[in-house]
Amino acid sequence: MRAHARARRTLATAVTAVGAATLLLAGCAQDPAEKPQGGAPAGDKAKTTLTVGVFGAFGLQEAGLYDEYMAQNPGIRIEQTSIERNENYYPQLLTHLGTGSGLADIQAVEVNNIAEITATQADKLVDLGKAPGVDKAAYLPWKWAQGTASAAKGGATVGLGTDIGPQGICYRKDLFEAAGLPSDRAAVGALWAGDWNKYLETGKAYKAKAGAGKAFVDSASGVMAAVTGSSAQRFYDEQGKVVYKANPAVRGAFDLAASFAGEGLSAKLQQFTPAWDQGFANGSFATVSCPAWMLGYIQDKAGPAGKDKWDVAQAPKPSNWGGSFLVVPKAGKHAEEAAKLAAWLTAPAQQAKLFEKRGSFPSASAAYKLPAVSGAKHEYFGGAPIGEIFAKAAEGVPVTVVGPKDLVISQNLADIGMLQVDQKGRSAQEGWEAAVKAIDNALDQ
């Protein structure tokens, strides 16, 4: 999925090939070069051509949404341009916003970048909260808030959410049974309901009877990301000040994750590496914190042998990992028409179709009542009612303060701090100090 550390905490660079029926995850990277994709035939005499700039295989085109919109609006032609990785795409977007040129009519923005966009670029973007057909009540409050600039910056909603990454806990039923634990998803969820510390205690009970080489979790870093994702305040406060050092929720998540390593419950794998992929196939660990988009990835890596062995239960607390937005630059050639298209693409009905065909979980809560979501089940995971499970998680995620350098902070906590603990046997304090030093250096640049 994400080939290296800088990409591991983003949704956009994922890649798998398990097909729509297995719920492909959103944002799959395929083509290394930026190039136009799709659109109407060359001979089309449409009055207006709308361009959409995205990273990776974003899913909108692959789900057929552009074709559907063009069929409904014969005067519109849609052309998409994609850059493989967000770390290449996003700096270019900032440059183009700065110069007011080279912009697509609609641009995608990854969740880890949306705070910087709303804080520094809102005046260059259309207020999509006022676009025709947009109903604020149809969207999750926390997702709407992420795409909205502060009152000091004008308070405009410049980003409409496309998808989110509500998390569950994916687990191996056979490994739970072998360790004397229940395997029914309701009973499993009850083991740790409401408290991440209960997840740790369940791990200890698992270890007491599990066979050698069968860890409880894939990595301590994965646990830390899930725990911090369930907190309203993480790395920044409401005034935009970096507060992660003094925030007990962040340090608590770090120390709890470190306990999984210290208790010998972790497989000590780095996520989105070949060794981690092989761990799914080998049954090297019993649980992993999994957003909705990860199900297709697990199926791909665990293969046919994992069918009906993997299942998914509610996480201890609602948490989110991933998601994206659409914005409309004012400097675009067709801002008014682009706003209409952005509103349509992110409307509940289209988000339900995107979920059905690509596995991207809707950020529009109004979509959760639609049959494509409410009745969704995943046969590979024992027929798990994934629409119900992830909708419940999504609706419980707190309105989280997102800062412009969230990704920098989270990556260093995981890749510098937690890896020291998980793979090198350092203490939680040593890992924390190493992470803080790396973060301070990165933020000073």
Side-chain angles (χ1 to χ4, degrees):
M1 184 171 166
R2 298 160 179 93
H4 51 79
R6 285 192 58 78
R8 287 210 327 275
R9 292 292 177 254
T10 67
L11 178 62
T13 57
V15 59
T16 188
V18 292
T22 62
L23 288 180
L24 277 173
L25 48 106
C28 303
Q30 295 178 357
D31 209 344
E34 177 181 0
K35 68 177 186 177
Q37 303 169 335
D44 183 22
K45 296 181 180 179
K47 296 178 182 178
T48 303
T49 296
L50 297 179
T51 56
V52 183
V54 303
F55 42 86
F58 200 72
L60 301 174
Q61 179 173 280
E62 293 80 358
L65 296 183
Y66 297 159
D67 290 337
E68 183 177 346
Y69 190 83
M70 287 187 290
Q72 295 177 12
N73 300 270
I76 297 294
R77 170 190 173 96
I78 303 172
E79 292 183 350
Q80 176 178 285
T81 299
S82 177
I83 294 177
E84 181 184 7
R85 298 185 181 279
N86 184 52
E87 57 261 41
N88 296 326
Y89 166 88
Y90 182 64
Q92 292 188 31
L93 174 59
L94 289 180
T95 299
H96 292 318
L97 285 170
T99 62
S101 62
L103 291 157
D105 294 301
I106 296 175
Q107 298 276 179
V109 177
E110 207 268 341
V111 64
N112 285 303
N113 303 125
I114 193 63
E116 185 171 20
I117 290 293
T118 59
T120 66
Q121 307 294 328
D123 61 328
K124 300 169 186 174
L125 302 171
V126 173
D127 185 351
L128 296 177
K130 298 178 180 178
V134 173
D135 179 11
K136 178 180 178 180
Y139 296 82
L140 290 164
W142 59 268
K143 184 71 171 185
W144 184 272
Q146 287 179 340
T148 302
S150 66
K153 297 293 182 178
T157 299
V158 297
L160 292 179
T162 55
D163 63 298
I164 55 175
Q167 297 201 73
I169 299 293
C170 292
Y171 66 98
R172 283 278 299 252
K173 291 183 287 188
D174 57 333
L175 297 184
F176 268 49
E177 290 169 358
L181 296 175
S183 60
D184 173 77
R185 70 181 64 94
V188 170
L191 290 173
W192 50 63
D195 189 346
W196 285 104
N197 286 291
K198 291 181 180 179
Y199 186 41
L200 175 64
E201 295 305 314
T202 302
K204 293 178 182 178
Y206 170 86
K207 181 186 176 184
K209 295 184 178 180
K214 302 296 182 181
F216 183 63
V217 298
D218 63 316
S219 67
S221 294
V223 174
M224 181 180 64
V227 178
T228 55
S230 62
S231 298
Q233 187 182 88
R234 298 179 301 176
F235 311 135
Y236 288 77
D237 64 15
E238 291 80 358
Q239 288 72 46
K241 180 182 177 182
V242 176
V243 296
Y244 79 93
K245 294 180 190 177
N247 185 357
V250 175
R251 183 59 194 266
F254 191 93
D255 288 346
L256 177 62
S259 294
F260 279 80
E263 294 287 345
L265 306 180
S266 171
K268 302 181 180 181
L269 299 170
Q270 189 170 15
Q271 292 186 328
F272 307 109
T273 63
W276 189 67
D277 292 347
Q278 193 62 40
F280 286 110
N282 295 342
S284 299
F285 47 87
T287 71
V288 59
S289 302
C290 58
W293 49 261
M294 194 185 284
L295 301 186
Y297 187 86
I298 293 174
Q299 177 174 349
D300 184 37
K301 301 306 178 184
K307 187 177 188 299
D308 292 326
K309 292 181 179 177
W310 281 97
D311 209 325
V312 56
Q314 294 285 351
K317 290 185 178 181
S319 179
N320 184 75
W321 175 8
S324 298
F325 298 80
L326 297 181
V327 301
V328 175
K330 292 178 180 178
K333 296 180 180 179
H334 309 289
E336 184 176 347
E337 288 294 341
K340 293 178 183 178
L341 174 58
W344 185 88
L345 289 170
T346 57
Q350 280 63 255
Q351 291 203 24
K353 294 172 186 174
L354 191 63
F355 171 65
E356 184 177 28
K357 296 181 180 181
R358 300 291 297 178
S360 303
F361 203 80
S363 63
S365 52
Y368 301 164
K369 298 178 181 179
L370 301 178
V373 181
S374 64
K377 295 184 179 181
H378 204 306
E379 294 309 312
Y380 187 88
F381 288 79
I386 58 173
E388 176 185 336
I389 289 171
F390 290 112
K392 182 177 180 181
E395 291 172 336
V397 173
V399 177
T400 304
V401 178
V402 180
K405 300 300 181 183
D406 264 28
L407 184 58
V408 171
I409 296 172
S410 64
Q411 283 182 334
N412 280 290
L413 285 172
D415 300 337
I416 301 298
M418 194 51 63
L419 278 183
Q420 296 262 350
V421 176
D422 204 14
Q423 296 187 359
K424 297 183 179 181
R426 305 285 174 78
S427 69
Q429 182 62 28
E430 289 173 322
W432 176 261
E433 290 174 355
V436 168
K437 182 178 179 180
I439 293 167
D440 285 348
N441 289 338
L443 296 183
D444 286 341
Q445 293 177 2

